[in-house]
Amino acid sequence: MKNKLGDLNNHLFAQLERLSDEDLSSEQIEQEVKRAGAMVDVADKITGNAELQLKAAKLYAEHGEKIVGHLPQIGKSAE
């Protein structure tokens, strides 16, 4: 996967623009609200995962190599 957090940000702002479109019918607004809710749910999971990765990186920075065995993903490239 090649998506980045910046891409997520772009998707969320695009959804915000769709929600603010004054030409939408009530049915279209309802559909966009559902879509936005689903996007927020996924975005929350993605940002939660990024936060966990940051915490792991901080642990590694603070404790060095002795913690690597407990954090096997640190230092490995994403495939």
Side-chain angles (χ1 to χ4, degrees):
M1 225 183 201
K2 297 181 182 183
N3 293 318
K4 307 285 185 232
L5 288 177
D7 298 326
L8 173 62
N9 204 33
N10 291 336
H11 287 297
L12 292 173
F13 276 112
Q15 183 59 42
L16 183 61
E17 289 178 17
R18 284 189 293 274
L19 286 169
S20 64
D21 184 348
E22 294 181 11
D23 295 329
L24 294 179
S25 68
S26 57
E27 292 85 18
Q28 290 171 316
I29 291 171
E30 185 177 332
Q31 182 179 10
E32 289 302 328
V33 167
K34 287 179 183 177
R35 179 179 172 158
M39 290 179 76
V40 167
D41 289 345
V42 172
D44 284 345
K45 299 294 183 188
I46 292 169
T47 55
N49 186 48
E51 183 179 357
L52 181 61
Q53 291 174 344
L54 179 59
K55 286 179 182 179
K58 285 180 180 180
L59 278 172
Y60 179 73
E62 291 172 7
H63 301 285
E65 291 295 320
K66 64 184 173 184
I67 200 164
V68 169
H70 300 285
L71 304 170
Q73 296 302 315
I74 287 186
K76 292 183 181 179
S77 62
E79 294 183 41

